[in-house]
Amino acid sequence: MRTYIIKRLLISVVILFFTGLIIYGLMRSLPTSYIESMAMTKSMAPGSKSYDEWMEQLTAMYHMDVGILPGYIQWIGEVFRGNFGDSWKWSVPVLEKFNDSVWISFTMGLIAFVIEMLIAIPLGVLAATKQYSKTDYTISVAALAGISLPTFFFASLLKLLFSVKLGWFDLYGLVGRDYEQLSQTGKILDQAKHLVLPIVTLVVVSMGSLMRYTRTNMLEVLNSDYIRTARAKGLSERRVIFHHAFRNTLIPIVTIVGGSLPGLFAGALITETLFAIPGIGYVSYQSMVSGDIPFSMFYLVFMAVLTLLGNLLSDILYAVVDPRVRVA
Amino acid sequence: MSNNLSNEPEMNEAAAPADEGAEEQLSLNDDRRVKVLSPGAMVRRRFFRNKIAVVGLVILLLMFAFSFIGGILSPYTEAQQFYRNEQIMKSFGAAVKNKDYRFRGAPDQDFSSIIQAQMVVNMQTEKNVFKYKGTEYSIRSDNDSLYELYSGDTLIGIATTVIVTPSDGTTELSFEFVSNALKADNAGETSFEADGTTYTLDEGGVVTDASGTPVADVGEYVIQAIMADAVITSGFREELIAALEAGRTSFEYNSSEYQLKYDAAKDTWEIKQFRTTQVIDTYAFPSAEHPLGTDKNGMDMLTRLMYGGRVSLIIGFIVVFIETAIGVVLGGVAGYFGGWVDELIMRIVDVFYCIPSLPIIIIIGAAMDAQRMPSAQRMFWLMLILGILGWAGVARLVRGQILSLREQEFMTAEEACGMRISRRIFKHLIPNVIPQLIVTSTMGLGSTIITEATLSFLGLGVKYPFASWGNIINDVNNTYVLTTYLFIWIPAGICLLATVLAFNLLGDGLRDAFDPKMKR
């Protein structure tokens, strides 16, 4: 087990290195004039160095003066010292901006994730136990509809209904207009209120795949021999489903759920952007659109790490949860 | 091949020869008694039993018809703009009752501003004679509206509150004409002579020549045109002055309506006219000509929707084709050869799996924005990038399938026959993967269309003048559109949802139909 994990970790590091290289190469090839304009403004300041001198200093500072590969190696060197550089757009260190924004995304993601599981897993099990019934068809089509629903369209519909027609929520933002005057509890409630629509969007859009996954796995388990045996023993249907079948369905579900945990930190780029929630998704969207290389680079590599971590976690969890895998 | 995709049902034992007679009695264990279906026919049968999948197929066919045939049938083109006529009150001109003295000097006489000033001073003090620089001037006047300045018997210039304006607005009137007209007006005469011609002056102050053509107007109002194409004609002037004297706020001339607005601060009347102006017909509500109204550029929404569907579907197909092509080749090679080739290709797959594709495309989209890349070129790049970033899943699928197929007996047989490797992979292994490929491609089409729509929604994908369902919905970023112009974004959203859902339903149905374990 340990050697397996170590081997997987090493492979992940290699993959991460090359992923980072591709991302870095891409970022470097982008036609960006940010450094030029920064050098221009700095050289305008009274008593400043000339434009050329600033240009030289800034390109050196961002490792723009060397080729892509050496630049990348230098970047990695800085990263090992915990330095991701300063964000161009936010003009604060990248990590500081990240720390400011990631927790709101995580909270939002976590709440949505829990709600999603609470709805999707029972419905998936229900659909499987009543295969080919009306309930099954309704749940399956609803799950597919959720998958097919474009986030931005659904969010717009929610806004139209709940913000414009009913006036229950604000259209944009994390805090209301009178936020500063509220008490401590009031502030928390205000933020919570602003998170309702984004969380509903996230839940509806991502629920479908978990529901389908649960249904497929539950069906597989229900068709297996030990379920037939359990039924033949004369066990009640309740006991067959909840004691024998559901526990076995939990194996794949735990792996997929565990694997998606790191993803909670990634932020919901589209949803946050639509609702202007200042989480990591929205912040990085703004950075990317304005060509902020240090922040985008950090965000992309961070996403890659999360993906790798998710895969690793689900593989390990699979071995932990299912003893049959460990033998092999 | 276990999953033959050919559509014709296999004819078992080559249907009974015709000359044996149709009503031949078959023995119970005769193969001909059993209706044998080819795998393809069985798949088809299982598929058509699945009502939901058939619904998906029907929606898709409708969407294709809507996008591809609808675009041809529509009377409008993709980027055709529409205009509407709007009645706008525009400033036509301004009128002011003149209370100041206006001076005009006779030709070849010195009537400088100092002499004018001297004249005014003497007019006010009612002295009729004054001296300036050794010359003696005399002022003659009948009433307050016209003063004449003489030096001896020579007329030097005039000061008047009554104004003579040429009828056509442009002709330069001679001094003699002006002073004689004013004199005649002052004296209440109906005709006067100037420059050797006789003119008639009527009560309304219109001066006509011998042939009856109006030449000039004499009156106390100064009327200026503000609108570029406005010409103040005699008739207009007459109507306007009549209205002003009567204190009316509107009048009609030449069958168009004018409104008068008094501006107390400037002591002027503003003349406004209703004008029909052609404006771009933006956000027109649904009507017979435009069943879904028009968008912010005044283009027909329904036509945009059709062309948008075309763009979305074409992009979806091309992207999935690129993904599948790369994925099948690399996955097939990896699965077949195994060993270090497999290891290398699968690590590349891992790397591509790791690259966060949406952020990458957003960054590239923003860079293309900065480059001001033309829309058509942009679309091409978008497809290429989406394809390149998406092949890893296909490669994994193909490799997994081939790994298990490779161990089967028919592969050993082929190897024993000495078949070429490329033939073994692409002719015998890949076709066995096709059912799964069709399923993932169908589902992939749906998700590609969503990705493209999301990018276009963010303004980083397909751009104006091309329509795409995503960039049509993009308009909801304008809150007024979100709340008021539902006809702009709801239909596009429904089309998008229906198409993606239909692709997913179809993919689901195909997966079930291809699955030999399926009982139904």
Side-chain angles (χ1 to χ4, degrees), chain B residues 440-515:
Chain B
T440 38
S441 311
T442 317
M443 300 268 202
L445 271 168
S447 57
T448 308
I449 289 177
I450 286 200
T451 311
E452 179 271 320
T454 307
L455 284 169
S456 305
F457 174 79
L458 293 173
L460 298 167
V462 178
K463 287 226 164 188
Y464 180 86
F466 295 103
S468 129
W469 287 336
N471 71 18
I472 289 173
I473 306 180
N474 173 275
D475 235 8
V476 296
N477 288 333
N478 176 347
T479 311
Y480 197 64
V481 175
L482 172 76
T483 57
T484 318
Y485 303 123
L486 299 186
F487 58 87
I488 300 277
W489 59 277
I490 299 262
I494 290 174
C495 283
L496 194 55
L497 174 62
T499 310
V500 179
L501 182 62
F503 272 121
N504 281 334
L505 289 175
L506 184 69
D508 219 32
L510 284 174
R511 189 210 312 269
D512 285 352
F514 282 130
D515 187 354

Side-chain angles (χ1 to χ4, degrees), chain A residues 11 15 18-19 22-23 26-27 30-31 132 137 141 144-145 147-150 152-153 156-157 159-160 164-165 171-172 212 223 269-270 273-274 285 288-290 296 299-300 303-304 307-308 311, chain B residues 52 347 350-351 353-356 358-360 362-364 366-367 371 443 450 453-454 457-458 460 470 473 476-477 479 482-483 486 489-490 493-494 496-497 500-501 504-505 508 511 518-520:
Chain A
I11 291 179
I15 291 172
F18 284 104
T19 310
I22 290 182
I23 296 172
L26 201 71
M27 299 298 291
L30 290 182
Y132 301 133
Y137 278 125
V141 172
L144 269 182
I147 296 174
S148 315
L149 206 53
F152 57 91
F153 179 57
S156 302
L157 284 178
K159 279 182 179 179
L160 177 70
V164 179
K165 299 277 179 212
L171 272 177
Y172 300 103
R212 280 165 57 84
N223 284 331
L269 198 146
I270 305 292
T273 306
L274 286 171
Y285 173 73
M288 289 186 293
V289 170
S290 52
S296 310
Y299 179 67
L300 290 174
M303 293 279 280
T307 314
L308 281 173
N311 286 345
Chain B
I52 295 179
R347 291 296 84 81
D350 284 339
V351 167
Y353 232 79
C354 248
I355 295 179
L358 190 63
I360 291 274
I362 288 176
I363 291 172
I364 295 177
Q371 294 273 65
M443 300 268 202
I450 286 200
T454 307
F457 174 79
L458 293 173
L460 298 167
I473 306 180
V476 296
N477 288 333
T479 311
L482 172 76
T483 57
L486 299 186
W489 59 277
I490 299 262
I494 290 174
L496 194 55
L497 174 62
V500 179
L501 182 62
N504 281 334
L505 289 175
D508 219 32
R511 189 210 312 269
M518 277 286 294
K519 288 168 199 141
R520 306 218 314 169

Side-chain angles (χ1 to χ4, degrees), chain B residues 411-421 423-424:
Chain B
M411 288 310 294
T412 327
E414 280 171 14
E415 209 173 342
C417 291
M419 205 180 269
R420 273 201 326 273
I421 288 176
R423 197 175 158 79
R424 266 187 263 163

